[in-house]
Amino acid sequence: MKKQLLTLMMLLVSVAAFSQDRPKLVVGIVVDQMRWDYLYRFYDEYGEGGFKRLMNEGFNCENCQINYIPSVTAIGHTSVFTGSVPSIHGIAGNNYYLNGKWTYCCADSTVQTVGSNTKAGLMSPRNMLATTIGDELKTATNWESKVIGVSFKDRAAILPAGHSADAAYWFDKKAFCFISSTYYMQELPKWVKSYNERIGREIKQLERKNKDAELIDLIQFEPYGNEITVGMAKAAVKNERLGLGKKTDMLTLSFSCPDITGHSFGTHHEKTHAQYVELDKQLADFFNFLDTQVGKGNYLVFLAADHGAANSVVQNQRHNIPAGSFHEGQEVKNLNAMLEEMSGMTDLVSRIMDYKVVLNHEKIANAHLDISKIKTAVINYFKPKKEVAYCFDLEKINDASVPAIIREKAVNGYNQQRGGDIQIILKPAYYAVWDGIGEGTTHGCWNPYDCHIPFLLMGWGVEHGSTQAECHITDIAATVCALIHVQMPNGCIGKAVTQVTK
């Protein structure tokens, strides 16, 4: 009897130990607009402690693909941490139509800014319909875990951290400080105020040294923007004692400045090159900080991107690669002129967003027009265009004669209540431009340059290795949740990468 009781006790202890088998801290890092090939293009200039440490100590999923369109910032950050797609998690773009109104993904008029007198804090995650890794971690620990999001961009701090996050902090470009919203708190913690005072002094010095430059450009395009983001993350870990409590904590950290630089200067500009070399040093410094603060081997870190970027039209054309531009604003004017001639009604197209034509359903209904005929006219308008590969009705995706990979991405990206009506698929290396063709770039398409992203893990529970097996952005959350033994987010469609979790 005693022997049986002892065996039962040992079994219960074993089960209890397994249930607590988690790292002290989970750190999810997203680099905004990081093409997968940047790992290798600048490899020889990276030091040993940043990207190379992730690759040489951790596990590298070399073939991670985005499995929806459009491949843009808000969707990418949401999909990394929910394991889901716009059709389910509801973040259908950086901006989209919600209840008939053009809406920013994180806009929330029910909250107020905390930390400045601007409207930059009228933000929350309420428009997101699914949970995140952090939400599930807090649920698994009866909300004893701390979860904090940090980024230069508001959406890159808010959406990854989730609904139940303790805090999210982002940079106010008018007040030049980190702020939050009343969704999370009524007042900034003392440590955030202290950090803002410090960077405020540094920004004034930066301004004095560069009198002829726009201050926000100095912060965004130079290493300083990423530097203060890392500094804010370190301050959060230290002052909130992340990773030092009884339960696993989580930090989400996004580097926004590479996206701002890429849009302005392109994938091959020296500024892009220099920023990644500097980011590598900043990552090395951050990992060393975590080694000291939390303990090497006590934290799990993963790094991904929200999307990649196309090489510029100018660059491609210079090297005889077929490429061209698509002028959304002009196309809206052309469409409305055509539809007015056809129906007698003006402005039947509201806009083109992320390569989707958005029709004015209210106006069409009030005029008793046949929306199917309107759609057919729009599709027939685009099909002959030299820059268009396919154009189809999003409500009839399965009837479209398009490759399966494009059909799947369109289905995953289509949210009936928040998306457009007609999907435009451009030819490779063609993309939307606004102010003419320059050396800068953009993203948003199905192609590998936009959708092939890095996915690396390092630290607690991760053995060194790599795989060329295809995985998806939606598999990231499933993989991390499997490693730390919590339920995957409630809209997750991904599967754990078994080469990592074995």
Side-chain angles (χ1 to χ4, degrees):
M1 183 66 180
K2 289 182 178 180
K3 187 175 181 180
Q4 290 176 331
L5 184 60
L6 180 61
T7 301
L8 178 60
M9 289 176 65
M10 290 177 66
L11 179 62
L12 290 173
V13 169
S14 174
V15 171
F18 180 79
S19 68
Q20 298 301 316
D21 191 17
R22 297 182 181 126
K24 291 183 177 181
L25 178 66
V26 178
V27 180
I29 300 174
V30 175
V31 182
D32 202 329
Q33 201 185 119
M34 183 175 180
R35 291 168 54 113
W36 163 83
D37 60 352
Y38 287 173
L39 289 173
Y40 297 96
R41 188 186 301 176
F42 311 128
Y43 185 86
D44 290 342
E45 295 177 72
Y46 293 150
E48 297 300 321
F51 288 116
K52 280 186 179 179
R53 180 174 172 185
L54 286 166
M55 298 168 75
N56 297 332
E57 286 186 22
F59 195 95
N60 188 354
C61 297
E62 294 269 18
N63 192 16
C64 187
Q65 302 284 338
I66 292 175
N67 53 346
Y68 54 78
I69 45 176
S71 46
V72 297
T73 297
I75 302 178
H77 282 81
T78 305
S79 296
V80 166
F81 289 89
T82 65
S84 193
V85 291
S87 179
I88 297 169
H89 62 55
I91 302 300
N94 295 333
N95 300 276
Y96 46 82
Y97 278 89
L98 179 61
N99 299 323
K101 295 181 180 179
W102 186 239
T103 304
Y104 179 63
C105 59
C106 292
D108 188 344
S109 61
T110 70
V111 301
Q112 299 297 320
T113 303
V114 175
S116 79
N117 294 321
T118 76
K119 294 183 179 181
L122 275 64
M123 306 285 173
S124 83
R126 287 192 172 113
N127 290 335
M128 182 169 62
L129 305 178
T131 60
T132 63
I133 300 170
D135 289 326
E136 297 300 331
L137 175 62
K138 289 182 77 75
T139 302
T141 63
N142 291 320
W143 294 273
E144 292 183 46
S145 296
K146 285 185 179 181
V147 177
I148 293 177
V150 173
S151 180
F152 202 82
K153 291 181 181 178
D154 48 55
R155 57 187 178 269
I158 293 167
L159 298 171
H163 298 277
S164 60
D166 296 271
Y169 301 105
W170 55 95
F171 194 76
D172 186 329
K173 294 182 180 181
K174 292 183 178 180
F176 299 105
C177 62
F178 280 93
I179 62 170
S180 191
S181 89
T182 51
Y183 178 88
Y184 305 98
M185 64 193 73
Q186 296 301 311
E187 185 178 3
L188 291 180
K190 290 182 179 179
W191 66 265
V192 178
K193 293 179 181 179
S194 177
Y195 185 71
N196 279 336
E197 289 173 1
R198 194 194 96 187
I199 64 174
R201 292 190 294 270
E202 293 175 356
I203 288 171
K204 286 182 180 179
Q205 291 177 358
L206 194 67
E207 186 177 25
R208 283 196 294 268
K209 291 179 180 178
N210 301 271
K211 294 181 180 180
D212 297 329
E214 286 290 331
L215 184 55
I216 190 60
D217 289 345
L218 288 172
I219 296 170
Q220 292 178 151
F221 296 135
E222 301 302 325
Y224 187 68
N226 287 335
E227 182 182 320
I228 60 174
T229 303
V230 172
M232 185 64 179
K234 290 164 72 173
V237 171
K238 186 174 182 180
N239 289 279
E240 297 292 346
R241 295 180 57 79
L242 300 184
L244 301 181
K246 294 181 180 180
K247 301 295 183 179
T248 302
D249 297 321
M250 185 169 189
L251 173 75
T252 69
L253 171 61
S254 177
F255 293 98
S256 303
C257 295
D259 181 70
I260 300 167
T261 301
H263 277 295
S264 298
F265 300 103
T267 58
H268 282 70
H269 196 278
E270 178 54 32
K271 283 187 178 290
T272 299
H273 174 190
Q275 191 163 79
Y276 272 92
V277 173
E278 192 64 30
L279 177 59
D280 177 66
K281 297 175 184 176
Q282 292 159 342
L283 285 172
D285 173 67
F286 185 55
F287 296 153
N288 287 334
F289 165 79
L290 293 176
D291 289 344
T292 302
Q293 181 71 16
V294 184
K296 187 175 183 179
N298 289 331
Y299 63 90
L300 167 65
V301 61
F302 64 94
L303 181 144
D306 54 347
H307 54 75
N311 294 324
S312 79
V313 170
V314 172
Q315 175 186 312
N316 281 332
Q317 291 177 342
R318 188 182 297 135
H319 295 280
N320 299 319
I321 296 172
S325 58
F326 178 77
H327 296 268
E328 291 184 341
Q330 185 59 50
E331 294 297 357
V332 171
K333 293 178 181 178
N334 294 344
L335 284 172
N336 277 323
M338 177 196 71
L339 293 173
E340 182 179 0
E341 186 176 342
M342 169 182 159
S343 67
M345 297 297 296
T346 60
D347 301 325
L348 295 183
V349 172
S350 296
R351 66 177 67 226
I352 297 175
M353 64 170 195
D354 298 324
Y355 307 100
K356 292 184 178 74
V357 179
V358 183
L359 299 176
N360 189 326
H361 287 251
E362 184 178 2
K363 202 163 192 178
I364 292 170
N366 290 341
H368 304 290
L369 298 173
D370 186 340
I371 194 168
S372 65
K373 290 183 179 179
I374 300 293
K375 288 182 176 180
T376 299
V378 172
I379 292 170
N380 288 339
Y381 168 82
F382 278 117
K383 276 188 173 180
K385 284 188 165 291
K386 67 175 184 178
E387 65 268 33
V388 175
Y390 308 100
C391 185
F392 51 88
D393 184 344
L394 281 163
E395 288 190 335
K396 299 178 180 179
I397 296 176
N398 289 331
D399 296 334
S401 298
V402 298
I405 187 173
I406 295 176
R407 182 182 295 110
E408 179 184 2
K409 291 188 177 189
V411 168
N412 287 341
Y414 176 52
N415 187 291
Q416 184 179 7
Q417 296 175 325
R418 303 182 179 190
D421 298 281
I422 296 163
Q423 180 73 60
I424 303 164
I425 303 294
L426 300 182
K427 293 176 181 177
Y430 282 76
Y431 57 79
V433 297
W434 293 268
D435 300 322
I437 301 174
E439 294 285 356
T441 187
T442 189
H443 49 86
C445 299
W446 70 270
N447 310 74
Y449 44 75
D450 281 355
C451 290
H452 189 184
I453 59 172
F455 174 33
L456 303 106
L457 308 97
M458 181 184 75
W460 186 94
V462 177
E463 295 182 7
H464 173 56
S466 66
T467 180
Q468 288 288 345
E470 181 176 340
C471 66
H472 301 111
I473 192 171
T474 48
D475 297 330
I476 295 172
T479 303
V480 173
C481 287
L483 281 171
I484 64 175
H485 307 122
V486 302
Q487 181 61 275
M488 65 182 69
N490 61 16
C492 183
I493 65 168
K495 297 179 181 179
V497 178
T498 55
Q499 295 93 330
V500 179
T501 60
K502 61 183 178 181

